[in-house]
């Protein structure tokens, strides 16, 4: 089996034409989707980047693998048995390699996040630049295409390719943004909603979009109007389109090698991106729908139903289990994911009844998603302004603009019970150590500072406008963690 995994940072499914987006942003990914299965309700269980890719490597939820934030307490990857390697909870890549698959990654993720565990199990690790992430797709392909020409016709490999382009900042040729100049954008947020968002002072809010950085012309300086919002969406969609053009280069290379119809593809993301939801733009700082809902496309000749779609709920750790099953291997008993190979084949299969998700970098939250409701429990606000308990009616309010928790106490109780039950299930698993969320809440990845200290930190970095905004916040908001510059 030849398999290519496209790991596309910060990619929202609703900005892909194969998911029904009105702009043709992903014609090459559309080709892959047309020849395989599109999953409409896939979610990353733990966000952002480090927790999600730790789940990719370990097959486990963040609460179990331990790396639930990017640094400090709560970021200790918990390998279960010290020296040596577990047979019950193996690294995904080691498991494939032990079974005879050649495992290769083109990614600077481990370098960017100082993640030793990311390097476990690969036959080859290609950190093709020293940028520590945010390479443009042309830089990635400059390393990948020669490898494919040399090794693509070999059998039995798992090739992981990470593209960063939809992750800000957008540094592709501006023509990819300009193609959308006559194309409309979604109605949310409208002018009134954008005007109301101007009072927000948290990172990546409408009037606080950048931390004093130099930003490219593909992004606006702030979101003060629908014109600015269109500028931002055109920039994001340009990044998606630019990345997709290099997926086309991959497909053309496979065609030249005569193996285009034989290669399995898995297309997904570590997380998605907020684009106005909760007043947040171009960031992934919370356990919300916008951040956790990710794309998943699997093309598997001879296995996947051609042109099919599946709407059952599943996690990103289920994707790892499904790949393992596709390779003819037993899903390890210590993994948290389950195989969806049955659904991939087009057979009837129930998805999960609901999903529990978590985030512990910029704020500490757990959420629950079912068909109608999205519930969000905030344990520590961190850098953001969230109510402690939030309930959204996704059928009537898909953009999550109105907290209806007070109107549906019975649903709030149900969701609280689901989180408690989920946590109890994790605690009962062999080798469970401690909830990393609690470590973050108690000590945090940041040094906790008073608001005055935080303002002084901003000023020391030259961010006078940001400091002025934060000075306007009420003193009774209490302690806030300092942003890591």
């Amino acid at each position: 089996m030849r398999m290519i995994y496209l790991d596309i940072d910060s990619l929202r499914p609703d900005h892909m034409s194969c998911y029904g987006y009105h702009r043709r942003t992903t014609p090459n990914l559309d080709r892959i989707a047309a020849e395989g299965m599109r999953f409409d309700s896939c979610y990353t269980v733990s966000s952002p980047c480090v927790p999600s890719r730790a789940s990719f490597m370990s097959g486990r939820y963040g609460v179990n693998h331990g790396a639930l934030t990017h640094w400090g307490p709560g970021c200790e990857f918990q390998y279960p048995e010290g020296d040596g390697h577990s047979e019950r909870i193996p690294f995904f890549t080691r498991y494939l390699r032990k079974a005879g698959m050649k495992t290769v990654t083109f990614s600077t993720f481990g370098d960017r996040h100082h993640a030793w565990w990311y390097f476990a199990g690969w036959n080859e690790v290609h950190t093709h630049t020293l940028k520590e992430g945010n390479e443009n797709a042309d830089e990635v392909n400059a390393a990948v295409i020669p490898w494919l020409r040399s090794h693509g016709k070999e059998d039995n490999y798992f090739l992981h390719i990470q593209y960063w382009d939809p992750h800000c900042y957008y540094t592709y040729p501006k023509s990819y943004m300009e193609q959308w100049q006559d194309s409309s954008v979604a109605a949310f947020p409208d002018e009134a909603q954008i005007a109301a968002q101007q009072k927000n002072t948290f990172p990546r809010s409408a009037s606080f979009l950048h931390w004093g950085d130099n930003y490219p012309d593909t992004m606006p300086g702030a979101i003060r109007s629908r014109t600015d919002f269109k500028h931002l969406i055109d920039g994001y969609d340009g990044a998606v389109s630019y990345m997709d053009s290099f997926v086309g280069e991959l497909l053309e290379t496979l065609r030249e090698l005569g193996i285009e119809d034989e290669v399995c593809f898995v297309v997904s993301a570590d997380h998605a991106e907020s684009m106005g939801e909760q007043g947040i733009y171009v960031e992934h700082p919370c356990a919300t729908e916008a951040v956790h809902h990710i794309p998943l496309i699997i093309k598997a000749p001879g296995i996947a139903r051609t042109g099919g779609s599946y709407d059952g709920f599943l996690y990103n750790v289920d994707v790892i289990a499904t790949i393992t099953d596709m390779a003819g291997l037993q899903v390890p008993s210590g993994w948290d994911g389950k195989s969806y190979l049955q659904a991939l084949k087009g057979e009837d299969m129930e998805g999960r009844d609901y999903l529990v998700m978590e985030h512990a970098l910029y704020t500490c939250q757990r959420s629950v998603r079912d068909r109608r409701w999205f519930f969000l429990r905030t344990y520590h606000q961190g850098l953001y302004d969230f109510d402690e308990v939030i309930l959204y009616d996704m059928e009537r309010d898909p953009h999550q603009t109105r907290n209806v928790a007070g109107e549906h106490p019975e649903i709030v109780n149900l969701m609280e019970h689901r989180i408690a039950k989920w946590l109890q299930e994790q605690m009962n698993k062999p080798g469970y150590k401690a909830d990393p969320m609690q470590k973050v809440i108690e000590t945090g990845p940041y040094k906790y500072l008073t608001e005055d200290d935080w303002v002084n930190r901003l000023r020391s970095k030259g961010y006078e406008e940001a400091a002025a905004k934060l000075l306007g916040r009420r003193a009774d908001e209490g302690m806030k963690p300092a942003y890591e510059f």
Side-chain angles (χ1 to χ4, degrees):
M1 175 180 285
R2 304 180 182 105
M3 182 177 294
I4 297 177
Y5 189 110
L6 300 183
D7 184 351
I8 305 168
D9 207 290
S10 305
L11 181 61
R12 287 179 63 128
D14 61 353
H15 281 250
M16 303 170 65
S17 38
C18 54
Y19 276 87
Y21 192 43
H22 69 286
R23 292 176 170 179
R24 196 162 180 256
T25 50
T26 54
N28 293 295
L29 291 177
D30 296 353
R31 288 169 55 192
I32 297 174
E35 298 170 0
M37 174 74 77
R38 187 193 72 220
F39 291 79
D40 294 337
S41 300
C42 185
Y43 288 72
T44 187
V45 62
S46 309
S47 74
C49 318
V50 166
S52 178
R53 288 204 176 87
S55 291
F56 170 83
M57 291 296 292
S58 70
R60 294 185 288 165
Y61 305 146
V63 68
N64 292 324
H65 63 59
L68 198 52
T69 183
H70 281 190
W71 47 77
C75 190
E76 305 96 341
F77 187 91
Q78 297 171 358
Y79 196 66
E81 296 175 6
D83 293 340
H85 290 277
S86 172
E87 296 296 324
R88 190 179 67 84
I89 313 178
F91 280 99
F92 168 59
T93 45
R94 284 185 60 89
Y95 193 55
L96 293 184
R97 182 175 175 181
K98 188 175 181 179
M101 292 192 76
K102 185 176 184 179
T103 54
V104 181
T105 182
F106 284 83
S107 172
T108 55
F109 172 81
D111 192 16
R112 178 185 179 96
H113 288 289
H114 309 165
W116 64 267
W117 41 263
Y118 178 78
F119 298 104
W122 302 103
N123 288 88
E124 299 177 17
V125 175
H126 297 262
T127 53
H128 38 287
T129 77
L130 293 177
K131 289 187 173 182
E132 301 179 35
N134 282 52
E135 300 89 3
N136 286 354
D138 62 299
E139 298 174 277
V140 177
N141 274 22
V144 170
I145 297 300
W147 189 95
L148 275 176
R149 295 194 188 283
S150 298
H151 303 284
K153 296 182 76 171
E154 297 174 4
D155 198 13
N156 217 25
Y157 58 77
F158 177 83
L159 173 60
H160 171 267
I161 305 168
Q162 184 179 356
Y163 291 117
W164 293 86
D165 303 84
H167 188 295
C168 74
Y169 293 113
Y170 312 138
T171 55
Y172 56 84
K174 195 176 179 181
S175 59
Y176 283 85
M177 171 188 175
E178 293 171 340
Q179 67 180 306
W180 314 118
Q181 59 186 358
D182 297 323
S183 176
S184 63
V185 293
F188 171 85
D190 60 24
E191 290 287 6
Q193 289 164 330
I194 291 173
Q197 291 173 352
Q198 299 307 304
K199 68 179 184 300
N200 297 331
T201 58
F202 46 74
R204 305 289 191 195
S205 58
S207 61
F208 195 1
L209 197 60
H210 307 287
W211 285 86
D213 305 309
N214 294 321
Y215 51 89
D217 292 342
T218 50
M219 300 182 71
I223 308 295
R224 303 190 187 280
S225 67
R226 286 280 297 173
T227 299
D228 290 334
F229 178 70
K230 184 178 187 305
H231 185 171
L232 179 64
I233 297 303
D234 288 356
Y236 179 78
D237 289 349
V240 174
S241 175
Y242 183 71
M243 173 276 301
D244 182 82
S245 71
F246 287 91
V247 173
E249 185 181 38
L250 287 179
L251 296 178
E252 177 61 21
T253 302
L254 296 177
R255 188 193 65 78
E256 293 172 1
L257 293 171
I259 59 173
E260 181 181 13
D261 295 331
E262 303 170 18
V263 173
C264 295
F265 271 95
V266 179
V267 181
S268 196
D270 56 341
H271 51 72
E273 198 83 316
S274 295
M275 287 292 174
E277 297 88 358
Q278 289 80 38
I280 304 166
Y281 293 86
V282 288
E283 190 57 278
H284 31 270
C286 42
T288 57
E289 174 80 8
V291 173
H292 280 249
H293 186 197
I294 58 175
L296 175 61
I297 298 165
I298 301 179
K299 172 190 171 183
I303 300 175
R305 192 178 81 185
T306 301
S309 63
Y310 177 76
D311 195 36
F313 282 130
L314 72 158
Y315 289 120
N316 58 336
V317 291
D318 298 325
V319 181
I320 304 309
T322 303
I323 292 171
T324 300
D325 201 1
M326 288 168 59
L329 302 174
Q330 184 176 354
V331 177
S333 63
W335 286 6
D336 294 319
K338 65 179 183 179
S339 173
Y340 276 68
L341 183 58
Q342 183 180 336
L344 184 62
K345 292 178 177 179
E347 301 171 3
D348 289 340
M349 181 179 178
E350 291 292 328
R352 296 178 183 268
D353 292 336
Y354 60 88
L355 303 174
V356 177
M357 296 164 284
E358 52 190 352
H359 180 103
L361 175 60
Y362 298 108
T363 185
C364 293
Q365 296 177 328
R366 285 195 168 104
S367 58
V368 183
R369 174 72 156 106
D370 65 19
R371 283 296 164 196
R372 179 173 178 181
W373 305 101
F374 196 101
F375 175 77
L376 194 63
R377 159 66 73 176
T378 299
Y379 304 103
H380 192 293
Q381 282 191 334
L383 296 172
Y384 285 85
D385 296 331
F386 284 97
D387 292 336
E388 185 175 337
V389 174
I390 296 174
L391 182 68
Y392 295 121
D393 185 337
M394 300 300 288
E395 291 181 358
R396 299 180 180 180
D397 182 24
H399 299 297
Q400 306 110 63
T401 61
R402 184 167 174 264
N403 182 4
V404 295
E407 300 169 27
H408 300 278
E410 75 287 357
I411 302 299
V412 171
N413 289 338
L414 172 64
M415 296 303 194
E416 295 277 24
H417 172 73
R418 286 173 169 176
I419 291 177
K421 179 182 176 183
W422 183 81
L423 282 172
Q424 187 63 46
E425 289 171 352
Q426 310 319 310
M427 293 170 63
N428 288 339
K429 291 178 179 178
Y432 177 84
K433 295 182 179 179
D435 183 358
M437 180 79 76
Q438 291 301 319
K439 296 182 182 180
V440 181
I441 293 170
E442 292 169 8
T443 58
Y446 310 99
K447 176 185 176 184
Y448 278 71
L449 304 174
T450 65
E451 193 166 87
D452 286 343
D453 288 335
W454 196 16
V455 168
N456 291 335
R457 182 85 174 272
L458 288 168
R459 283 176 167 167
S460 72
K461 297 290 183 179
Y463 301 155
E464 289 294 339
E465 182 180 358
K469 287 181 179 297
L470 291 175
L471 281 171
R473 296 174 68 114
R474 293 174 55 189
D476 63 4
E477 288 184 359
M479 305 289 279
K480 291 286 182 181
Y483 192 83
E484 184 73 14
F485 296 104

